[in-house]
Amino acid sequence: MKELREYLLRLLKENAYRRGEFTLSSGKKSEHYVNCKPVSLSGEGLTLIGTLFLDHVEEDSQAVAGLTLGADPLVSAVAMTSWLDTNRRTKLNALIIRKEPKGYGTDAWIEGKLPIKGCKVTVLEDVTTTGGSAIKAVEKLRDFGYVVNRVVTIIDRQEGANHAMIDANLELCSLFTLEELSNDKVL
């Protein structure tokens, strides 16, 4: 697994990270820009992310979920990887949480094969800054009767998400921190 982690970090450094002057979605200025989509939307990246994320999903989770758009490929990769892993007892399905209800038909907030209420779901995120997007997904899942204890992210920007998760009674697991990603050391 160490080799897979180092390989994914190299892909992220090459394709998802830039240093400069950027305005984040929060309006805050930063010298670091992270966009995991060039990696998470590649077959190579998805294979690595699915494999590494699966190790952080709680064993008794019935599904993985996340807020659209960043989590869409992540939940799909982890669900598929769980079905390919012959050692994993619980096979996972993917759930995508909309930012707004569908607005027609069933007015669905959550897309995918829904587990029964009371089941455990792990939330996935690509980049976590303040934790707001992940917490929004968790709140929606909890409103629908699911148990959510953990959020797994590719990159923790180390800007308050961990404290926000603790306040929301959540554990934050990250594959990498911004410090690791921005480190100029070549792998």
Side-chain angles (χ1 to χ4, degrees), residues 15 30 50 155:
N15 300 294
S30 177
I155 305 291

Coordinates of all heavy atoms in Angstrom, one line a residue, residues 15 30 50 155:
N15 N -0.5 16.7 -11.2 CA -1.8 17.1 -12.0 C -2.9 17.8 -11.2 O -3.8 18.3 -11.8 CB -2.4 15.7 -12.5 CG -1.4 15.0 -13.4 OD1 -1.1 15.5 -14.5 ND2 -1.0 13.9 -12.9
S30 N -5.4 32.2 -1.3 CA -4.4 31.1 -0.9 C -3.3 31.1 -1.9 O -3.5 31.4 -3.1 CB -5.2 29.8 -0.8 OG -4.3 28.8 -0.6
G50 N -9.7 4.5 -5.3 CA -10.6 3.4 -4.8 C -10.0 2.5 -3.9 O -10.5 2.1 -2.8
I155 N -7.4 15.0 0.2 CA -6.5 16.1 0.7 C -7.2 16.9 1.8 O -8.3 17.4 1.6 CB -6.1 17.1 -0.4 CG1 -5.5 16.4 -1.6 CG2 -5.2 18.2 0.1 CD1 -4.1 15.8 -1.4

